[in-house]
Amino acid sequence: MPQIAPFAALRYNLDHVGSLSDVIAPPYDVIDPQLQDQLYKKHAANVIRIILNRTEPGDSEDEKYQRAAKFVAQWKSEGVLKQDESPCYYVYHQEFTIDGHVFNRRGFMARVRIQPFGEGNIYPHEETHPKAKVDRLKLTQATQQNNSQIFGLYPDPENAIIALLDVATTSVTPIEAVDHLGVKHRLWPVSDPTVIAKVSELMQDKPMFVADGHHRYETAANYRDLVSKELGPLPSDHPANFVMTMLVGMSDPGMIVLPTHRLLRGTERFSSAEITARLAGTFDCEIVAGGLDAANTVWSNMESADDQGLIGLYACKDDTWVLCKANEGAAAKMETLAANQSKDWQQLGVSLLHRLVIDELLQSKGHPKPTYVHDVDEVVQGMRGEGSQAESDSDEPYTLAALVMPAKLSHVEAISLHKERMPAKSTYFYPKLLSGLTFNPLR
């Protein structure tokens, strides 16, 4: 692990804003216009005005970033935001429910010294896109602070680090918030120098795998370079050398990875017989009776088998699901199609789906960007033309649906250590980290 350090966060003054639940928000990249509007109306100081300031009539190109910076300055001067007196590690728990089971994901927020990807032991697992990094850099330059944390994973089989931090919070009342999905978020500042030193020591030899926030991490590196260009070589402890990060042990019982299923447009409309014929020799295909509503049966079978080689494809031409299991032919094909990738990458469910099934066997390469959903019911609704189309840019009907297994943390670790990037939306780490719990000043 590169150096981690405590920091004196800028935080909401609850005496001023009242309920923390009214001023927090999910990360900017999962907020659609409807939720953005709801958050604007929820509280005059909601963090949405910083992380995703909306464009107003008559705005110049970058005015929304300057307006966000004005809110930061105004809220600081009015006491809405107040900086902690001492550097802390911020223990952060998230309590949530999936399929009737309650989970508690535990981690802590710290500053992590920035290293270029590929040069140290901080590893990405997803590709980034220039447009998003330009947007986040403009916001960082305007506000001169980290407005949302990145999400980093580290190996800790015994969960010793979070156990140490949890002991340090036993007599402290947490700061609490509930988000729009009902997830409970709790925060405890830990300023004890002895605890901080011990945590820093335990973390120093560990790698970190970026789970979420790749664009924000690369933006932090770009911002550091801009500050260095402006001021000259930066002292080692300059805050721009670090990025605010939520650190979670990979063995924490609350570390859940959910699937991201695909709804596609612009492909051929297939029958189940056509899918079976095209996948012959690479997948063993089973027809599942019950029409579109059999999606839950297909997914239940996939979850029970827990096999990356299982893919569920909906043939809209004859209203039938096909459960496809990769065989030795698929492995041989992937060795040719993805010769430059590791076997870990080649065997990943999303790799098989996109590189082999969609692009090669179904000959649908170049299709429009899929709509990504996490719940099987959303797949069914989407194929029926119902439900939210928040991630979609078109009203055209979908022509293909795919259920795909999520990558596991072991896949994230293995593929990251190969210095490879997974296909888009290989992982969905639930729940998302809140924006608005802490801000990290960079000047």
Side-chain angles (χ1 to χ4, degrees):
M1 167 71 68
Q3 180 188 349
I4 69 167
F7 65 109
L10 189 67
R11 295 195 287 131
Y12 278 105
N13 181 354
L14 299 186
D15 292 335
H16 207 297
V17 301
S19 171
L20 186 61
S21 299
D22 291 339
V23 292
I24 49 81
Y28 78 101
D29 54 349
V30 299
I31 299 175
D32 61 23
Q34 182 181 5
L35 180 56
Q36 183 187 36
D37 187 57
Q38 292 173 4
L39 293 168
Y40 257 82
K41 292 174 180 176
K42 196 164 190 177
H43 196 286
N46 189 282
V47 71
I48 190 68
R49 289 173 171 81
I50 300 175
I51 63 169
L52 195 63
N53 196 281
R54 63 187 176 195
T55 302
E56 304 289 357
D59 271 358
S60 60
E61 182 180 358
D62 292 342
E63 197 150 344
K64 64 182 180 180
Y65 305 109
Q66 298 305 319
R67 190 161 46 244
K70 288 176 182 177
F71 277 120
V72 172
Q74 176 187 336
W75 295 346
K76 287 165 68 175
S77 68
E78 293 176 351
V80 175
L81 293 175
K82 190 175 180 180
Q83 190 163 10
D84 287 338
E85 294 182 1
S86 303
C88 301
Y89 285 142
Y90 296 87
V91 176
Y92 179 13
H93 288 193
Q94 295 171 285
E95 184 181 306
F96 57 101
T97 302
I98 296 178
D99 296 333
H101 300 286
V102 178
F103 297 89
N104 186 36
R105 188 171 70 194
R106 305 169 301 159
F108 68 102
M109 284 189 277
R111 295 190 309 166
V112 171
R113 184 177 294 280
I114 298 164
Q115 297 176 349
F117 286 149
E119 293 185 13
N121 54 355
I122 295 181
Y123 300 92
H125 80 276
E126 286 188 348
E127 297 289 353
T128 56
H129 306 287
K131 183 178 179 181
K133 288 186 283 190
V134 169
D135 166 63
R136 291 299 94 182
L137 183 57
K138 287 181 177 181
L139 179 63
T140 307
Q141 287 179 284
T143 60
Q144 298 187 10
Q145 61 184 22
N146 295 142
N147 297 296
S148 302
Q149 64 281 80
I150 69 161
F151 187 176
L153 304 173
Y154 63 92
D156 186 5
E158 304 301 323
N159 292 310
I161 293 169
I162 192 62
L164 174 65
L165 284 163
D166 279 348
V167 168
T169 67
T170 51
S171 61
V172 182
T173 302
I175 301 144
E176 298 187 351
V178 179
D179 67 21
H180 67 297
L181 298 177
V183 178
K184 296 178 182 178
H185 304 258
R186 298 183 177 94
L187 190 77
W188 295 263
V190 175
S191 59
D192 184 330
T194 302
V195 175
I196 287 172
K198 183 62 176 175
V199 169
S200 302
E201 178 188 350
L202 290 172
M203 290 290 291
Q204 65 183 1
D205 295 325
K206 298 183 181 295
M208 186 186 87
F209 304 94
V210 178
D212 210 352
H214 291 77
H215 293 96
R216 277 163 272 165
Y217 184 91
E218 292 190 13
T219 292
N222 292 336
Y223 178 79
R224 176 204 57 192
D225 293 345
L226 287 175
V227 174
S228 179
K229 187 175 180 180
E230 173 193 343
L231 302 179
L234 300 178
S236 176
D237 61 350
H238 192 285
N241 286 319
F242 298 82
V243 61
M244 182 171 67
T245 304
M246 166 70 160
L247 293 158
V248 178
M250 298 175 81
S251 300
D252 187 82
M255 264 309 307
I256 305 297
V257 186
L258 297 184
T260 303
H261 306 305
R262 272 71 168 159
L263 293 163
L264 291 96
R265 296 185 174 90
T267 69
E268 184 181 335
R269 291 170 57 85
F270 299 101
S271 69
S272 55
E274 289 167 335
I275 288 176
T276 301
R278 297 222 188 171
L279 271 59
T282 53
F283 286 81
D284 300 321
C285 295
E286 174 189 347
I287 304 300
V288 182
L292 181 57
D293 289 326
N296 283 293
T297 300
V298 175
W299 179 241
S300 178
N301 290 339
M302 292 173 64
E303 276 195 306
S304 296
D306 191 21
D307 183 346
Q308 285 289 310
L310 282 173
I311 296 170
L313 297 174
Y314 176 67
C316 63
K317 201 171 179 180
D318 62 349
D319 184 29
T320 303
W321 280 97
V322 184
L323 181 56
C324 313
K325 179 177 174 59
N327 57 32
E328 292 180 359
K333 270 279 193 183
M334 286 296 284
E335 286 183 2
T336 301
L337 293 172
N340 294 326
Q341 308 290 156
S342 67
K343 285 194 180 297
D344 291 310
W345 192 97
Q346 293 172 8
Q347 295 169 358
L348 202 63
V350 286
S351 302
L352 289 164
L353 172 65
H354 287 284
R355 184 67 65 89
L356 178 55
V357 175
I358 294 175
D359 290 358
E360 180 74 11
L361 302 178
L362 298 183
Q363 298 179 356
S364 297
K365 189 173 183 178
H367 60 79
K369 178 185 175 184
T371 296
Y372 301 107
V373 297
H374 307 293
D375 190 88
V376 175
D377 289 339
E378 292 178 290
V379 175
V380 174
Q381 292 170 3
M383 293 308 298
R384 286 189 174 134
E386 305 168 353
S388 172
Q389 303 293 312
E391 291 192 63
S392 173
D393 297 324
S394 172
D395 294 326
E396 292 294 318
Y398 295 110
T399 52
L400 183 67
L403 304 179
V404 62
M405 294 295 293
K408 295 182 178 181
L409 293 178
S410 57
H411 298 126
V412 172
E413 181 175 10
I415 291 171
S416 297
L417 289 173
H418 293 316
K419 298 191 175 179
E420 297 175 305
R421 305 286 184 106
M422 290 182 175
K425 306 295 183 182
S426 296
T427 55
Y428 178 60
F429 296 101
Y430 181 84
K432 293 291 186 178
L433 305 176
L434 285 185
S435 295
L437 293 177
T438 58
F439 303 92
N440 179 38
L442 295 173
R443 292 283 185 140

